Amino acid sequence: MTDSGFTDEAPGRPARGRSRVAGRSGDTPARPRRSRRPSAALLGFLVLVLGLVGFAGWAWSSRVHADDGAAFTALAGEIEVLDRSLTPLGHSAIPPCRDSADGRVTRTYPPSTGPQAAELVGYLTQKGWTQDPATAPPTVAHLTRIESGRLLTIDVVARSESSLVESLVAHSPASAFGCLGR
């Protein structure tokens, strides 16, 4: 300490010979504080919880995909029954999760021997499909039905209801979450 009452040491630094830990003598060095590590029981518990959450997510996505698949199978079956009565020229079926998170069944009819649009729409409404207003000009009829909790749609493309059908596009939406990892 100087005559004016000040010390030569910087603030926050202990004076020489003094310990940083209270109750120790000036000659004993302070021991560094030991960091705490998680115990094996805590790590095991965290792994178990993360495993259960992962399993629940996998099971839920599998169930969602099973519902999507059931709806698509019902839609494809309905179109197969339709094929037996009205023969198409060409067809394709894209199951859910192959190219996108939905499934499509398409049928293309020959320009001279395909069914009439009104006949096709009448057949589908008798099978339980509900006709809604058409969405775009080439679409003559937009039909919907709910199967396995999924909204299925069929669009009939023709010039008018009295003309021959050009194509039929059936759509089965699927969940993007259910398609993860597929």
Side-chain angles (χ1 to χ4, degrees):
M1 183 166 294
T2 62
D3 292 337
S4 61
F6 296 103
T7 61
D8 291 346
E9 296 176 4
R13 291 176 53 189
R16 287 187 186 174
R18 291 187 188 165
S19 172
R20 291 181 188 237
V21 180
R24 294 187 182 254
S25 67
D27 294 337
T28 309
R31 290 193 312 193
R33 196 167 211 203
R34 205 172 132 205
S35 63
R36 298 182 87 185
R37 291 185 180 174
S39 68
L42 177 64
L43 289 176
F45 176 74
L46 288 176
V47 167
L48 178 68
V49 168
L50 289 175
L52 288 174
V53 168
F55 178 75
W58 171 80
W60 188 58
S61 72
S62 293
R63 179 65 197 152
V64 168
H65 182 70
D67 290 345
D68 295 339
F72 178 77
T73 302
L75 178 65
E78 184 80 27
I79 300 302
E80 290 296 325
V81 170
L82 175 73
D83 285 347
R84 286 189 220 120
S85 38
L86 310 168
T87 308
L89 175 64
H91 65 279
S92 67
I94 302 171
C97 304
R98 191 185 93 181
D99 296 335
S100 64
D102 62 350
R104 282 187 303 282
V105 178
T106 58
R107 298 294 189 258
T108 305
Y109 296 94
S112 59
T113 60
Q116 191 178 34
E119 177 188 357
L120 183 61
V121 170
Y123 174 83
L124 290 170
T125 54
Q126 286 177 355
K127 295 289 186 177
W129 289 84
T130 305
Q131 186 174 2
D132 296 330
T135 56
T139 303
V140 170
H142 180 78
L143 300 134
T144 60
R145 185 164 86 182
I146 295 178
E147 186 76 37
S148 297
R150 306 293 188 266
L151 178 67
L152 307 176
T153 61
I154 294 179
D155 290 322
V156 178
V157 178
R159 291 188 191 110
S160 68
E161 283 194 23
S162 61
S163 66
L164 298 177
V165 175
E166 295 172 18
S167 67
L168 174 139
V169 179
H171 181 260
S172 173
S175 167
F177 183 77
C179 289
L180 286 176
R182 305 231 187 268

